[in-house]
């Protein structure tokens, strides 16, 4: 297998494949709260984005097209003709690209705490420049503050610390290149082409991709549905694991036999 993406696989080999894409600055471990339940019904494949986790870090800048085509090559290498797909943040952006430009490869789609266009571009380019010059710790506190509500951070500091460590372990070059992909991204004009039944999940208290961004995605994707998770910021699947897991199981179980 020639893929540059690191994969973590759980669940029965014969079950339908559920592909999980994580957020900017995290890796496959972000999905740990959901894996056990999802893997009872699906072949769960978690992947690290280019420049993240244990995946390759090719020179940047990256684009959503590059990230999406890398994922398609991985599916081809695995001989997987179609998947159900759930992605959070950057993972959701890649999922929208995949469902738009390779619609035959996505049966059902879940988009969590994400956006189809997330400006201003200058902000993302400035963040890329910062981590290239000063490393990941330079942005870690500000980023993690947007991942969790203050109440959760106070109650579960060990969870916050685990995810902060995941962020600071990310390659600065890979993170910066993905920031540049987000800076150049505007998926909105083509979302009407998405045919997969789509669930959009928003964190009610997400300052990074507010609920308004989820509503726009729902408006643009035919027959998409919105679910808002209370008491959750950007990493809603970590902050409210049971509620997010229930939403995903309900959505994907409807299409288990597709």
């Amino acid at each position: 297998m020639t893929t540059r993406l690191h994969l973590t696989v759980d669940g029965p080999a014969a079950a339908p494949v559920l592909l999980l894409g994580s957020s900017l600055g995290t890796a496959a471990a972000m999905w740990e709260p959901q894996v056990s339940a999802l893997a009872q019904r699906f072949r769960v494949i978690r992947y690290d984005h280019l420049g993240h986790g244990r995946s390759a870090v090719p020179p940047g800048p990256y684009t959503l097209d590059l990230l999406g085509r890398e994922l398609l090559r991985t599916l081809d290498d695995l001989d997987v003709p179609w998947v159900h797909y759930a992605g959070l943040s950057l993972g959701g952006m890649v999922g929208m690209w995949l469902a738009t430009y390779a619609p035959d490869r996505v049966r059902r789609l879940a988009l969590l705490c994400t956006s189809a266009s997330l400006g201003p571009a200058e902000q993302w380019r400035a963040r890329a420049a910062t981590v290239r010059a000063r490393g990941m710790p330079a942005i870690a506190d500000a980023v993690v503050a947007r991942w969790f509500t203050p109440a959760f951070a106070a109650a579960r500091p060990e969870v916050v610390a685990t995810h902060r460590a995941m962020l600071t372990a990310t390659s600065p070059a890979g993170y910066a290149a993905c920031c540049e992909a987000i800076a150049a991204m505007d998926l909105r004009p083509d979302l009407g082409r998405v045919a997969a039944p789509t669930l959009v999940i928003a964190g009610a208290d997400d300052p990074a991709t507010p609920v308004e961004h989820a509503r726009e995605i729902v408006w643009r994707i035919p027959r998409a549905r919105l679910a808002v998770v209370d008491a959750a910021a950007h990493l809603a699947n970590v902050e409210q694991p049971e509620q997010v897991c229930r939403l995903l199981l309900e959505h994907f179980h409807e299409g288990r036999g597709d």
Side-chain angles (χ1 to χ4, degrees), residues 3 13 42 47 58 75 77-78 105 124 140 214 217 228:
T3 180
F42 301 97
Y47 73 95
L75 295 179
D77 287 341
L78 294 172
R105 308 301 291 268
W124 291 104
I217 294 169
V228 178

Side-chain angles (χ1 to χ4, degrees), residues 2-236:
T2 60
T3 180
R4 297 186 292 180
L5 300 182
H6 179 262
L7 308 175
T8 305
V9 183
D10 299 274
V17 173
L18 173 55
L19 190 62
L20 301 179
S22 53
S23 73
L24 177 69
T26 70
M30 187 207 80
W31 287 104
E32 282 295 335
Q34 285 75 43
V35 168
S36 178
L38 294 175
Q40 293 180 35
R41 302 185 185 183
F42 301 97
R43 183 69 161 171
V44 178
I45 301 177
R46 292 174 282 167
Y47 73 95
D48 296 340
H49 297 291
L50 284 180
H52 284 62
R54 296 169 62 185
S55 288
V57 188
Y62 302 168
T63 63
L64 258 293
D65 185 77
L66 171 68
L67 298 177
R69 292 189 184 283
E70 192 71 36
L71 195 52
L72 285 176
R73 280 192 289 270
T74 300
L75 295 179
D76 290 342
D77 287 341
L78 294 172
D79 196 27
V80 173
W82 60 266
V83 299
H84 299 311
Y85 184 97
L88 188 149
S89 182
L90 179 59
M93 297 168 192
V94 175
M96 283 184 273
W97 185 95
L98 197 67
T100 298
Y101 298 108
D104 58 316
R105 308 301 291 268
V106 181
R107 289 287 175 88
R108 298 184 79 84
L109 179 66
L111 306 170
L112 295 82
C113 303
T114 193
S115 179
S117 179
L118 195 59
E122 294 77 11
Q123 170 185 302
W124 291 104
R125 296 189 183 109
R127 190 188 297 192
T130 297
V131 298
R132 285 193 174 107
R134 298 167 52 200
M136 297 302 293
I139 60 142
D141 289 342
V143 169
V144 173
R146 298 163 76 82
W147 283 359
F148 304 105
T149 62
F152 182 87
R156 300 295 304 276
E158 76 286 358
V159 176
V160 176
T162 295
H163 288 80
R164 188 184 192 281
M166 204 184 307
L167 174 67
T168 56
T170 303
S171 160
Y175 184 92
C178 285
C179 286
E180 290 161 343
I182 295 171
M185 173 194 72
D186 189 354
L187 298 166
R188 293 173 296 181
D190 293 324
L191 286 183
R193 296 165 54 183
V194 174
T198 301
L199 172 66
V200 182
I201 299 174
D205 303 304
D206 182 0
T209 52
V211 176
E212 290 73 19
H213 291 244
R215 290 196 179 104
E216 179 168 32
I217 294 169
V218 170
W219 179 73
R220 290 179 180 272
I221 294 179
R223 298 174 298 282
R225 297 183 293 120
L226 174 64
V228 178
V229 178
D230 290 332
H234 195 51
L235 296 192

